Amino acid sequence: MLRFILRRLGVSAFILVLGSVFLFFITVFSGDPLEDLRESRDRTAPQQMEARIRNMNLEEPWYVRYWMWAVGVAKCVTLNCDLGVDSTGRDIQSALTSAASSTLRLVTLATVLAIIIGISMGILAAIRQYSGFDYAVTFASFLFFSLPVFWVAVLLKEYGAIRFNDWIADPGISLTATIIIGLLFGVTLASLLGGDLRRKLITGAASAVFAIGAMLYFDSVGWWRQPALGLGLIILIAVGAAVVLTYLTVGRTNPKILYAALTTIAVGVVGFFVFQSWIKEPTYPLLLLMLAIGVAVAIVSGWLWGGWDKGIAIWVSIGTAVAFAGATALDQLLRNWGPFLERKPRPISTIGSGAPNFEGPFWTGVWDWGVQLILPTVVLTVISLAAYSRYTRASMLETIRQDYVRTARSKGLSERVVITKHALRNALIPITTIVAFDFAGLIGGAVVTESVFGWSGMGAMFESGLDRVDPGPVMAFYLVTGTAAVLMNMIADIAYAFLDPRIRT
C-alpha cells in the first residue's frame, strides 16, 4: 500500500507541474496586463506602469517568470513559501491565506452536509424502492441538479436573506401556513418511516399534530426571537442519538451498549452544571477541552459496560457524547440569538462573509460568522446533493441484489444487519470516488457562488487575476485546488482499502 501511495504521489506531482505550466502559459497570453494604463490619462500612469512591470516581472520571458514562481512554491517544502506579489504589489501569500480560509470553510461544510444528507437519502430511497419517498427523492435530485447555480443563489438572497430579515423583525406564522407546514411534515415523515397504509396514516397524523402544536407554541411565546432548547431537550436529543446508534450497531442483542451511552449522558448532565461558566463564556480551546473530557468519559463508560462488545460500546458512547455536546452548543447559540439580533437587526447579509467591525461575546460572534455561511452553503450543498443521492441509490440497489446479501438474509440475519454490515459498506466504495472529485470541484464551482454573494475567497482571487492578466493569483488558486484534488484522491484510495480489504493486496 505504501508503494502504491508513493507511486500515486509521484504521478500526481508530475501532473500538477504540467498543469501549472499550461495554466501559466494561457494566463500570460490571455491579454495585455498594461492595457488599462496605456489608455489612462492619469499623469502618474507612467510611474504606475513601471511599478506594475516591476511587480509582475514583465521584462522577463514567460518561462523565466514561471521558473521564478516554481522556485518560490518549492520553498513551501521548508514552510517558507514565496508566491511573490500581484500587479498591485500586494503579497499573494497573505491574500491566499485569507481567501483559502474563507473558501475552505464554506466548501468543507457544504461537502460534509451533502455527504451526510445525500447518502442518507440515497440509502433510504434504495431500501424503499418505488415508494412515494423514492419518487420524491428522485424528483428533487433531478430538479436540484438541473437548476442554474446563479439562479438558485439569487432566489436564496431574495427569500433567505431579504424577506427573512423583514420577517424576523416582527415574526409570526399565520394559522393557514402553520397547518400547511404541519401537514407537509406529517406526509414527509410518514413516507420516510414507511409501513402499511394504516401505519402511515397514524404516523402522518401524529407528526402533523405535533408540528402544528409546536409552531403554535413557539408563536405564542415569541420563540422565534428568544429561542432555547433547555436541559430537557438536550437530554432528549442525546437519548435519541444513543437509541439510534445502539439500534444501528447491535440492535436489541446487547442492552449494555445502551446502558453505556445512558451513563455517558448522566455524566454529561453533571458536567453541564459543573462547566456552566465555561459553556456560557467559552473560547475555542475551552470547547475542545470540554469535548475531550466528554470523549474520555464516553471511552471509560463504554469500557466498563461493554462486556464482549467493548469496541462497539465505546464508539456508541462517543457518538452519544458528541450529540450531547452538540445539543449543548446549539442551546447556547439559540439563547444568544436575541442578543445577536439586538446588535444586528437584519442578521443575514446578502453581500460579504461577515459584518465589518462586529463586536460581541463569543456566541454572538459565532452567529455573525455562521449566518453568512448559510446561503452559499445551501447553494453548494444542493449542487452536490443530487449526485450523492442518485449514485448512492444506484450503488445500494446493485449491492442488495448480490448473492452474498441473499445469503445473509437466508441465514436469518435481521434487515438492519444485512443493510448496515453487508450491503452499505460495499455500496460506499464507488461513492468515495465522487467525494474525492466533488471536493476539488466545489472549490472551482465556488467561483460563481462567491461572486453572487460577494465573498472574498478563492473565487474572487481567481477572477481578479484573470481580469488583470496576472498569473500570480491564478496560480495561487491552482496551487490550492490542485493540491486538494491530489489529497482527496489519495484519501479515496486509502478509503478503498478500508472498505474492501481485498484492495490492499
Side-chain angles (χ1 to χ4, degrees), residues 113-114 117-118 121 141 144 380-390:
L113 290 177
I117 299 173
M121 291 172 59
S141 298
F144 293 155
L380 294 179
T381 302
V382 164
I383 295 173
S384 303
L385 196 63
Y388 285 122
S389 62
R390 298 307 298 166

Side-chain angles (χ1 to χ4, degrees), residues 24 52 54-57 65-76 80-97 461 468 470-476 479:
F24 194 95
R52 187 174 299 182
R54 184 173 58 255
N55 292 331
M56 300 177 62
N57 297 308
R65 295 168 61 192
Y66 173 80
W67 177 254
M68 296 170 65
W69 175 83
V71 170
V73 172
K75 295 180 181 178
C76 293
N80 190 27
C81 296
D82 181 14
L83 302 182
V85 296
D86 61 12
S87 59
T88 62
R90 186 177 59 168
D91 182 62
I92 294 178
Q93 185 175 344
S94 60
L96 177 62
T97 302
M461 172 178 282
R468 299 196 303 263
D470 186 357
V474 176
M475 298 306 294
L479 186 64

Side-chain angles (χ1 to χ4, degrees), residues 288-366:
L288 291 176
L289 176 61
M290 288 187 285
L291 180 61
I293 293 173
V295 170
V297 170
I299 293 174
V300 173
S301 176
W303 179 267
L304 295 177
W305 277 106
W308 65 86
D309 279 338
K310 281 185 171 60
I312 296 177
I314 288 173
W315 282 112
V316 170
S317 298
I318 290 175
T320 304
V322 171
F324 189 94
T328 303
L330 179 60
D331 176 59
Q332 289 300 314
L333 273 174
L334 292 176
R335 292 179 185 276
N336 283 271
W337 174 246
F340 173 68
L341 289 178
E342 293 177 0
R343 290 178 168 84
K344 192 177 179 184
R346 299 185 68 81
I348 301 182
S349 303
T350 57
I351 298 295
S353 57
N357 302 320
F358 181 88
E359 296 182 0
F362 177 85
W363 292 112
T364 55
V366 173

Side-chain angles (χ1 to χ4, degrees), residues 1-14 486 490 493-494:
M1 190 68 181
L2 179 60
R3 291 180 59 188
F4 172 75
I5 292 176
L6 292 176
R7 186 167 61 250
R8 283 294 305 273
L9 281 175
V11 173
S12 300
F14 179 70
V486 171
M490 193 59 58
D493 291 335
I494 297 173

Side-chain angles (χ1 to χ4, degrees), residues 442-475:
L442 274 181
I443 297 179
V447 173
V448 177
T449 305
E450 290 179 2
S451 178
V452 175
F453 289 101
W455 272 58
S456 298
M458 297 292 296
M461 172 178 282
F462 180 78
E463 185 180 2
S464 65
L466 288 180
D467 290 340
R468 299 196 303 263
V469 197
D470 186 357
V474 176
M475 298 306 294

Side-chain angles (χ1 to χ4, degrees), residues 372-385:
Q372 309 307 325
L373 279 172
I374 295 175
L375 299 185
T377 298
V378 169
V379 174
L380 294 179
T381 302
V382 164
I383 295 173
S384 303
L385 196 63

